[in-house]
Amino acid sequence: DRSAASPALCSCIQQVANQALSNSDQTRAAAVFAEPQLAQDTRQSARWSDERFWDRYRAYAALASEICQPASA
């Protein structure tokens, strides 16, 4: 939910990314986040490298979701 974005939430998500993803994975994740079709293509790809990236990306997203809960209003 992008409407819940705040500097604190963005900082938390970045901290999780720094711990869970390499620099190249972070660059690729940003591209996937910005371009839904790229996300779909990557997720459905049969390439081993795409599958491994998608596994790492899903693990990162789950961890960030768990750790970086926005404060309730």
Side-chain angles (χ1 to χ4, degrees):
D1 181 13
R2 292 183 185 187
S3 66
S6 70
L9 178 60
C10 292
S11 177
C12 181
I13 291 169
Q14 184 62 57
Q15 288 175 11
V16 174
N18 290 344
Q19 293 175 5
L21 299 172
S22 68
N23 288 341
S24 62
D25 277 351
Q26 287 184 46
T27 300
R28 191 169 180 189
V32 163
F33 186 78
E35 180 56 53
Q37 186 59 49
L38 179 58
Q40 185 71 2
D41 294 346
T42 302
R43 187 181 68 79
Q44 292 181 329
S45 173
R47 289 179 47 196
W48 182 84
S49 60
D50 289 342
E51 291 176 18
R52 296 297 302 139
F53 166 76
W54 198 253
D55 289 344
R56 292 188 303 272
Y57 180 77
R58 282 188 6 208
Y60 149 72
L63 184 59
S65 179
E66 180 181 322
I67 292 173
C68 301
Q69 292 296 319
S72 298

